[in-house]
Amino acid sequence: MVSQILSLAAKAKADIESATTSEAIDDIIKGFLGKNGGLGEILKGIKDLPDDQKKLVGPEANKQKDALLSFAEQKKSALAEAALTAALETSTFDPTMPGKKNLNLEQLGGLSPFTRMADKAVRVFEKLGFAVWDGGDIVNDFENFGALNFPDDHPAREMHDTFYVEQGYLLRTHTSTLQYHILKTKDFPIRAIVPGKCFRNEATDARHEAIFTQLEGIVVDTNITVTHLIATLELFLKEIFEEDVKTRIRPGYFPFVEPGLELEIHCLVCHGSGCRLCKGLGWIEVMPCGMIHPNVLKNAGVDPEKYSGFAFGFGLSRLTQLKYAIADCRLMYADDPKFLGQFQ
Ligand code: PHE
């Protein structure tokens, strides 16, 4: 009986040797262990054997079974490996190619310094309770000028070199165009900001672009004073620059504010010694602002005897230039990865 086991095992081993798939190997094993002419049948007959034979057959059956199973496993993994090698040979994918070392940050996408500044500015005002308004780029003459106290024949209208569209429409020259609409809500206390694109027909230089982004803000309620204005803007600047920045206030003229002011900060690029950005002055105008002119309130149906408020509107690219010490604003829009990569 032992010899029967040995010959069964030898046959199964030879079959496995020549098998070409792991399914075929499984079938051979099944047959080898089976009750029909296999190891199963032999084990069934053990009980009829003389004692000395019994002692031999059991262990031999187990030994052959274990040896065959491990041989089958070896053969299966050799087949799998051969299949993988064959697949890799016909594939164009090269898993041995080394990864990119020293990945250059300039090659990674990221937010431009301008976008970072815009997001942060909006977040700071949101924290202070300002609602964010949006408006169209194309507005009418009334929204851009008339509602803001620019009389028809006033030379102040010439302050902006405007891109006119058709039928009295124009590309807004400032985000102040939303003031009228915000005031008309009469939803006091009003605290709103308008980040948005503006357009002026002017030549570009280190501080000016024909298309730029402003952030307008207005606050209107009873008893709003210039103190609220200055405190709000100083708080904003401190949040943006993460340091106490030196500011000063000078008079400025805009027909829609009275008094009109210019908030200036100590130049953060040259720290006062004078550079291209601050035109050598050491100070730089960052925030035109003022108390909303009574006529602007009246135009929107708000009683200037009862309500007062302030407004400001600044260019976001200038703040970005100051924050990141960028001497020329044109760099920010040039899409040069060498420049943008520095800020990632
Ligand atoms: N709209 C003005 C400009 O674009 C800026 C400004 C806004 C001034 C609000 C005062 C108050 O120049």
Side-chain angles (χ1 to χ4, degrees), residues 309-337:
F310 63 80
F312 55 87
F314 54 85
L316 274 165
S317 60
R318 190 167 300 174
L319 276 197
T320 312
Q321 282 185 267
L322 284 165
K323 168 96 182 167
Y324 297 102
I326 300 167
D328 193 321
C329 73
R330 287 166 293 190
L331 283 167
M332 283 190 287
Y333 312 112
D335 286 343
D336 178 351

PDB file of all heavy atoms in Angstrom, residues 309-337:
ATOM      1  N   GLY A 309     -22.147 107.202   7.799  1.00  0.00           N
ATOM      2  CA  GLY A 309     -21.370 105.993   7.528  1.00  0.00           C
ATOM      3  C   GLY A 309     -20.036 106.320   6.890  1.00  0.00           C
ATOM      4  O   GLY A 309     -19.753 107.477   6.564  1.00  0.00           O
ATOM      5  N   PHE A 310     -19.229 105.288   6.744  1.00  0.00           N
ATOM      6  CA  PHE A 310     -17.951 105.499   6.071  1.00  0.00           C
ATOM      7  C   PHE A 310     -17.805 104.517   4.919  1.00  0.00           C
ATOM      8  O   PHE A 310     -18.516 103.498   4.846  1.00  0.00           O
ATOM      9  CB  PHE A 310     -16.770 105.396   7.044  1.00  0.00           C
ATOM     10  CG  PHE A 310     -16.561 104.069   7.717  1.00  0.00           C
ATOM     11  CD1 PHE A 310     -15.929 103.010   7.048  1.00  0.00           C
ATOM     12  CD2 PHE A 310     -16.949 103.877   9.050  1.00  0.00           C
ATOM     13  CE1 PHE A 310     -15.707 101.795   7.679  1.00  0.00           C
ATOM     14  CE2 PHE A 310     -16.723 102.653   9.688  1.00  0.00           C
ATOM     15  CZ  PHE A 310     -16.113 101.605   8.998  1.00  0.00           C
ATOM     16  N   ALA A 311     -16.892 104.869   4.025  1.00  0.00           N
ATOM     17  CA  ALA A 311     -16.613 103.991   2.889  1.00  0.00           C
ATOM     18  C   ALA A 311     -15.118 103.994   2.638  1.00  0.00           C
ATOM     19  O   ALA A 311     -14.416 104.955   2.969  1.00  0.00           O
ATOM     20  CB  ALA A 311     -17.350 104.474   1.642  1.00  0.00           C
ATOM     21  N   PHE A 312     -14.649 102.897   2.107  1.00  0.00           N
ATOM     22  CA  PHE A 312     -13.241 102.816   1.692  1.00  0.00           C
ATOM     23  C   PHE A 312     -13.186 101.931   0.465  1.00  0.00           C
ATOM     24  O   PHE A 312     -14.111 101.160   0.196  1.00  0.00           O
ATOM     25  CB  PHE A 312     -12.367 102.249   2.820  1.00  0.00           C
ATOM     26  CG  PHE A 312     -12.832 100.918   3.344  1.00  0.00           C
ATOM     27  CD1 PHE A 312     -12.425  99.730   2.746  1.00  0.00           C
ATOM     28  CD2 PHE A 312     -13.706 100.850   4.438  1.00  0.00           C
ATOM     29  CE1 PHE A 312     -12.869  98.498   3.215  1.00  0.00           C
ATOM     30  CE2 PHE A 312     -14.154  99.613   4.915  1.00  0.00           C
ATOM     31  CZ  PHE A 312     -13.738  98.441   4.303  1.00  0.00           C
ATOM     32  N   GLY A 313     -12.122 102.091  -0.295  1.00  0.00           N
ATOM     33  CA  GLY A 313     -11.997 101.244  -1.487  1.00  0.00           C
ATOM     34  C   GLY A 313     -10.530 101.197  -1.870  1.00  0.00           C
ATOM     35  O   GLY A 313      -9.927 102.223  -2.140  1.00  0.00           O
ATOM     36  N   PHE A 314      -9.957 100.014  -1.828  1.00  0.00           N
ATOM     37  CA  PHE A 314      -8.520  99.961  -2.103  1.00  0.00           C
ATOM     38  C   PHE A 314      -8.199  98.896  -3.136  1.00  0.00           C
ATOM     39  O   PHE A 314      -8.970  97.974  -3.367  1.00  0.00           O
ATOM     40  CB  PHE A 314      -7.731  99.731  -0.816  1.00  0.00           C
ATOM     41  CG  PHE A 314      -8.157  98.525  -0.033  1.00  0.00           C
ATOM     42  CD1 PHE A 314      -7.645  97.278  -0.334  1.00  0.00           C
ATOM     43  CD2 PHE A 314      -9.074  98.650   1.007  1.00  0.00           C
ATOM     44  CE1 PHE A 314      -8.038  96.158   0.387  1.00  0.00           C
ATOM     45  CE2 PHE A 314      -9.466  97.534   1.734  1.00  0.00           C
ATOM     46  CZ  PHE A 314      -8.960  96.293   1.416  1.00  0.00           C
ATOM     47  N   GLY A 315      -7.035  99.069  -3.745  1.00  0.00           N
ATOM     48  CA  GLY A 315      -6.581  98.102  -4.739  1.00  0.00           C
ATOM     49  C   GLY A 315      -5.904  96.932  -4.059  1.00  0.00           C
ATOM     50  O   GLY A 315      -5.000  97.101  -3.245  1.00  0.00           O
ATOM     51  N   LEU A 316      -6.381  95.724  -4.383  1.00  0.00           N
ATOM     52  CA  LEU A 316      -5.818  94.544  -3.721  1.00  0.00           C
ATOM     53  C   LEU A 316      -4.396  94.242  -4.173  1.00  0.00           C
ATOM     54  O   LEU A 316      -3.612  93.672  -3.434  1.00  0.00           O
ATOM     55  CB  LEU A 316      -6.708  93.329  -3.982  1.00  0.00           C
ATOM     56  CG  LEU A 316      -7.859  93.196  -3.002  1.00  0.00           C
ATOM     57  CD1 LEU A 316      -8.889  92.220  -3.521  1.00  0.00           C
ATOM     58  CD2 LEU A 316      -7.358  92.746  -1.635  1.00  0.00           C
ATOM     59  N   SER A 317      -4.057  94.657  -5.402  1.00  0.00           N
ATOM     60  CA  SER A 317      -2.706  94.299  -5.842  1.00  0.00           C
ATOM     61  C   SER A 317      -1.662  95.127  -5.094  1.00  0.00           C
ATOM     62  O   SER A 317      -0.568  94.640  -4.811  1.00  0.00           O
ATOM     63  CB  SER A 317      -2.549  94.422  -7.355  1.00  0.00           C
ATOM     64  OG  SER A 317      -2.786  95.724  -7.750  1.00  0.00           O
ATOM     65  N   ARG A 318      -2.008  96.342  -4.727  1.00  0.00           N
ATOM     66  CA  ARG A 318      -1.018  97.131  -3.991  1.00  0.00           C
ATOM     67  C   ARG A 318      -0.739  96.529  -2.616  1.00  0.00           C
ATOM     68  O   ARG A 318       0.400  96.470  -2.159  1.00  0.00           O
ATOM     69  CB  ARG A 318      -1.477  98.587  -3.852  1.00  0.00           C
ATOM     70  CG  ARG A 318      -0.352  99.443  -3.325  1.00  0.00           C
ATOM     71  CD  ARG A 318      -0.587 100.908  -3.447  1.00  0.00           C
ATOM     72  NE  ARG A 318      -0.786 101.336  -4.824  1.00  0.00           N
ATOM     73  CZ  ARG A 318      -1.130 102.572  -5.168  1.00  0.00           C
ATOM     74  NH1 ARG A 318      -1.313 103.484  -4.241  1.00  0.00           N
ATOM     75  NH2 ARG A 318      -1.287 102.901  -6.419  1.00  0.00           N
ATOM     76  N   LEU A 319      -1.813  96.081  -1.969  1.00  0.00           N
ATOM     77  CA  LEU A 319      -1.609  95.436  -0.660  1.00  0.00           C
ATOM     78  C   LEU A 319      -0.756  94.183  -0.811  1.00  0.00           C
ATOM     79  O   LEU A 319       0.107  93.891   0.020  1.00  0.00           O
ATOM     80  CB  LEU A 319      -2.951  95.023  -0.052  1.00  0.00           C
ATOM     81  CG  LEU A 319      -3.748  96.053   0.713  1.00  0.00           C
ATOM     82  CD1 LEU A 319      -4.791  95.345   1.558  1.00  0.00           C
ATOM     83  CD2 LEU A 319      -2.876  96.916   1.600  1.00  0.00           C
ATOM     84  N   THR A 320      -1.007  93.446  -1.902  1.00  0.00           N
ATOM     85  CA  THR A 320      -0.230  92.228  -2.139  1.00  0.00           C
ATOM     86  C   THR A 320       1.234  92.584  -2.364  1.00  0.00           C
ATOM     87  O   THR A 320       2.139  91.926  -1.847  1.00  0.00           O
ATOM     88  CB  THR A 320      -0.773  91.488  -3.388  1.00  0.00           C
ATOM     89  OG1 THR A 320      -2.172  91.399  -3.290  1.00  0.00           O
ATOM     90  CG2 THR A 320      -0.165  90.109  -3.508  1.00  0.00           C
ATOM     91  N   GLN A 321       1.455  93.645  -3.120  1.00  0.00           N
ATOM     92  CA  GLN A 321       2.839  94.084  -3.368  1.00  0.00           C
ATOM     93  C   GLN A 321       3.542  94.390  -2.053  1.00  0.00           C
ATOM     94  O   GLN A 321       4.698  94.032  -1.853  1.00  0.00           O
ATOM     95  CB  GLN A 321       2.838  95.346  -4.242  1.00  0.00           C
ATOM     96  CG  GLN A 321       2.588  95.079  -5.710  1.00  0.00           C
ATOM     97  CD  GLN A 321       2.724  96.356  -6.516  1.00  0.00           C
ATOM     98  OE1 GLN A 321       1.747  97.050  -6.748  1.00  0.00           O
ATOM     99  NE2 GLN A 321       3.932  96.671  -6.933  1.00  0.00           N
ATOM    100  N   LEU A 322       2.811  95.061  -1.165  1.00  0.00           N
ATOM    101  CA  LEU A 322       3.425  95.426   0.112  1.00  0.00           C
ATOM    102  C   LEU A 322       3.665  94.206   0.981  1.00  0.00           C
ATOM    103  O   LEU A 322       4.711  94.060   1.599  1.00  0.00           O
ATOM    104  CB  LEU A 322       2.509  96.405   0.858  1.00  0.00           C
ATOM    105  CG  LEU A 322       2.534  97.820   0.319  1.00  0.00           C
ATOM    106  CD1 LEU A 322       1.361  98.622   0.856  1.00  0.00           C
ATOM    107  CD2 LEU A 322       3.848  98.497   0.724  1.00  0.00           C
ATOM    108  N   LYS A 323       2.680  93.333   1.004  1.00  0.00           N
ATOM    109  CA  LYS A 323       2.790  92.147   1.874  1.00  0.00           C
ATOM    110  C   LYS A 323       3.967  91.267   1.443  1.00  0.00           C
ATOM    111  O   LYS A 323       4.704  90.755   2.270  1.00  0.00           O
ATOM    112  CB  LYS A 323       1.486  91.362   1.795  1.00  0.00           C
ATOM    113  CG  LYS A 323       1.533  89.989   2.398  1.00  0.00           C
ATOM    114  CD  LYS A 323       1.021  89.972   3.808  1.00  0.00           C
ATOM    115  CE  LYS A 323       1.137  88.573   4.387  1.00  0.00           C
ATOM    116  NZ  LYS A 323       0.947  88.532   5.789  1.00  0.00           N
ATOM    117  N   TYR A 324       4.116  91.093   0.124  1.00  0.00           N
ATOM    118  CA  TYR A 324       5.155  90.180  -0.353  1.00  0.00           C
ATOM    119  C   TYR A 324       6.369  90.909  -0.944  1.00  0.00           C
ATOM    120  O   TYR A 324       7.197  90.285  -1.594  1.00  0.00           O
ATOM    121  CB  TYR A 324       4.565  89.215  -1.390  1.00  0.00           C
ATOM    122  CG  TYR A 324       3.496  88.323  -0.805  1.00  0.00           C
ATOM    123  CD1 TYR A 324       2.150  88.583  -1.031  1.00  0.00           C
ATOM    124  CD2 TYR A 324       3.842  87.237  -0.005  1.00  0.00           C
ATOM    125  CE1 TYR A 324       1.159  87.771  -0.484  1.00  0.00           C
ATOM    126  CE2 TYR A 324       2.855  86.422   0.550  1.00  0.00           C
ATOM    127  CZ  TYR A 324       1.523  86.699   0.299  1.00  0.00           C
ATOM    128  OH  TYR A 324       0.559  85.897   0.846  1.00  0.00           O
ATOM    129  N   ALA A 325       6.435  92.227  -0.706  1.00  0.00           N
ATOM    130  CA  ALA A 325       7.558  93.039  -1.201  1.00  0.00           C
ATOM    131  C   ALA A 325       7.790  92.835  -2.696  1.00  0.00           C
ATOM    132  O   ALA A 325       8.882  92.495  -3.138  1.00  0.00           O
ATOM    133  CB  ALA A 325       8.826  92.735  -0.407  1.00  0.00           C
ATOM    134  N   ILE A 326       6.740  93.033  -3.470  1.00  0.00           N
ATOM    135  CA  ILE A 326       6.838  92.887  -4.920  1.00  0.00           C
ATOM    136  C   ILE A 326       6.897  94.300  -5.516  1.00  0.00           C
ATOM    137  O   ILE A 326       5.928  95.057  -5.427  1.00  0.00           O
ATOM    138  CB  ILE A 326       5.602  92.148  -5.472  1.00  0.00           C
ATOM    139  CG1 ILE A 326       5.502  90.760  -4.841  1.00  0.00           C
ATOM    140  CG2 ILE A 326       5.650  92.060  -6.994  1.00  0.00           C
ATOM    141  CD1 ILE A 326       4.177  90.060  -5.048  1.00  0.00           C
ATOM    142  N   ALA A 327       8.030  94.640  -6.087  1.00  0.00           N
ATOM    143  CA  ALA A 327       8.208  96.031  -6.501  1.00  0.00           C
ATOM    144  C   ALA A 327       7.370  96.395  -7.734  1.00  0.00           C
ATOM    145  O   ALA A 327       7.017  97.549  -7.919  1.00  0.00           O
ATOM    146  CB  ALA A 327       9.685  96.309  -6.763  1.00  0.00           C
ATOM    147  N   ASP A 328       7.026  95.413  -8.570  1.00  0.00           N
ATOM    148  CA  ASP A 328       6.313  95.742  -9.809  1.00  0.00           C
ATOM    149  C   ASP A 328       5.072  94.864  -9.941  1.00  0.00           C
ATOM    150  O   ASP A 328       5.173  93.637  -9.996  1.00  0.00           O
ATOM    151  CB  ASP A 328       7.257  95.498 -10.998  1.00  0.00           C
ATOM    152  CG  ASP A 328       6.716  96.104 -12.284  1.00  0.00           C
ATOM    153  OD1 ASP A 328       5.488  96.036 -12.497  1.00  0.00           O
ATOM    154  OD2 ASP A 328       7.519  96.650 -13.065  1.00  0.00           O
ATOM    155  N   CYS A 329       3.898  95.510  -9.993  1.00  0.00           N
ATOM    156  CA  CYS A 329       2.657  94.724  -9.981  1.00  0.00           C
ATOM    157  C   CYS A 329       2.490  93.879 -11.239  1.00  0.00           C
ATOM    158  O   CYS A 329       1.767  92.885 -11.237  1.00  0.00           O
ATOM    159  CB  CYS A 329       1.439  95.609  -9.769  1.00  0.00           C
ATOM    160  SG  CYS A 329       0.977  96.622 -11.181  1.00  0.00           S
ATOM    161  N   ARG A 330       3.159  94.244 -12.314  1.00  0.00           N
ATOM    162  CA  ARG A 330       2.998  93.481 -13.557  1.00  0.00           C
ATOM    163  C   ARG A 330       3.494  92.050 -13.417  1.00  0.00           C
ATOM    164  O   ARG A 330       3.036  91.150 -14.104  1.00  0.00           O
ATOM    165  CB  ARG A 330       3.737  94.189 -14.710  1.00  0.00           C
ATOM    166  CG  ARG A 330       2.993  95.453 -15.142  1.00  0.00           C
ATOM    167  CD  ARG A 330       3.839  96.336 -16.006  1.00  0.00           C
ATOM    168  NE  ARG A 330       4.956  96.910 -15.252  1.00  0.00           N
ATOM    169  CZ  ARG A 330       5.740  97.873 -15.723  1.00  0.00           C
ATOM    170  NH1 ARG A 330       5.538  98.352 -16.943  1.00  0.00           N
ATOM    171  NH2 ARG A 330       6.720  98.357 -15.004  1.00  0.00           N
ATOM    172  N   LEU A 331       4.431  91.851 -12.486  1.00  0.00           N
ATOM    173  CA  LEU A 331       4.930  90.497 -12.236  1.00  0.00           C
ATOM    174  C   LEU A 331       3.806  89.557 -11.809  1.00  0.00           C
ATOM    175  O   LEU A 331       3.806  88.374 -12.130  1.00  0.00           O
ATOM    176  CB  LEU A 331       5.980  90.525 -11.106  1.00  0.00           C
ATOM    177  CG  LEU A 331       7.364  91.031 -11.471  1.00  0.00           C
ATOM    178  CD1 LEU A 331       8.166  91.287 -10.205  1.00  0.00           C
ATOM    179  CD2 LEU A 331       8.077  90.014 -12.338  1.00  0.00           C
ATOM    180  N   MET A 332       2.847  90.126 -11.072  1.00  0.00           N
ATOM    181  CA  MET A 332       1.790  89.272 -10.520  1.00  0.00           C
ATOM    182  C   MET A 332       0.871  88.703 -11.580  1.00  0.00           C
ATOM    183  O   MET A 332       0.217  87.703 -11.368  1.00  0.00           O
ATOM    184  CB  MET A 332       0.960  90.057  -9.506  1.00  0.00           C
ATOM    185  CG  MET A 332       1.666  90.211  -8.200  1.00  0.00           C
ATOM    186  SD  MET A 332       0.590  90.857  -6.940  1.00  0.00           S
ATOM    187  CE  MET A 332       0.450  92.539  -7.450  1.00  0.00           C
ATOM    188  N   TYR A 333       0.788  89.382 -12.710  1.00  0.00           N
ATOM    189  CA  TYR A 333      -0.131  88.925 -13.759  1.00  0.00           C
ATOM    190  C   TYR A 333       0.610  88.285 -14.925  1.00  0.00           C
ATOM    191  O   TYR A 333       0.005  87.915 -15.917  1.00  0.00           O
ATOM    192  CB  TYR A 333      -0.984  90.095 -14.267  1.00  0.00           C
ATOM    193  CG  TYR A 333      -1.590  90.878 -13.147  1.00  0.00           C
ATOM    194  CD1 TYR A 333      -1.195  92.178 -12.874  1.00  0.00           C
ATOM    195  CD2 TYR A 333      -2.562  90.289 -12.331  1.00  0.00           C
ATOM    196  CE1 TYR A 333      -1.734  92.891 -11.813  1.00  0.00           C
ATOM    197  CE2 TYR A 333      -3.113  90.992 -11.276  1.00  0.00           C
ATOM    198  CZ  TYR A 333      -2.695  92.281 -11.018  1.00  0.00           C
ATOM    199  OH  TYR A 333      -3.238  92.974  -9.980  1.00  0.00           O
ATOM    200  N   ALA A 334       1.937  88.169 -14.800  1.00  0.00           N
ATOM    201  CA  ALA A 334       2.716  87.695 -15.942  1.00  0.00           C
ATOM    202  C   ALA A 334       2.723  86.169 -16.070  1.00  0.00           C
ATOM    203  O   ALA A 334       3.181  85.640 -17.068  1.00  0.00           O
ATOM    204  CB  ALA A 334       4.142  88.212 -15.850  1.00  0.00           C
ATOM    205  N   ASP A 335       2.177  85.473 -15.060  1.00  0.00           N
ATOM    206  CA  ASP A 335       2.115  84.002 -15.101  1.00  0.00           C
ATOM    207  C   ASP A 335       3.484  83.369 -15.327  1.00  0.00           C
ATOM    208  O   ASP A 335       3.617  82.417 -16.100  1.00  0.00           O
ATOM    209  CB  ASP A 335       1.156  83.528 -16.212  1.00  0.00           C
ATOM    210  CG  ASP A 335      -0.278  83.751 -15.803  1.00  0.00           C
ATOM    211  OD1 ASP A 335      -0.509  83.954 -14.608  1.00  0.00           O
ATOM    212  OD2 ASP A 335      -1.153  83.727 -16.687  1.00  0.00           O
ATOM    213  N   ASP A 336       4.485  83.908 -14.696  1.00  0.00           N
ATOM    214  CA  ASP A 336       5.824  83.348 -14.846  1.00  0.00           C
ATOM    215  C   ASP A 336       6.065  82.389 -13.679  1.00  0.00           C
ATOM    216  O   ASP A 336       6.105  82.813 -12.522  1.00  0.00           O
ATOM    217  CB  ASP A 336       6.849  84.497 -14.819  1.00  0.00           C
ATOM    218  CG  ASP A 336       8.268  83.975 -14.933  1.00  0.00           C
ATOM    219  OD1 ASP A 336       8.461  82.749 -14.859  1.00  0.00           O
ATOM    220  OD2 ASP A 336       9.181  84.806 -15.082  1.00  0.00           O
ATOM    221  N   PRO A 337       6.205  81.077 -13.975  1.00  0.00           N
ATOM    222  CA  PRO A 337       6.366  80.115 -12.876  1.00  0.00           C
ATOM    223  C   PRO A 337       7.562  80.412 -11.987  1.00  0.00           C
ATOM    224  O   PRO A 337       7.554  80.103 -10.795  1.00  0.00           O
ATOM    225  CB  PRO A 337       6.535  78.771 -13.578  1.00  0.00           C
ATOM    226  CG  PRO A 337       6.376  79.002 -15.020  1.00  0.00           C
ATOM    227  CD  PRO A 337       6.252  80.464 -15.306  1.00  0.00           C
TER     228      PRO A 337
END
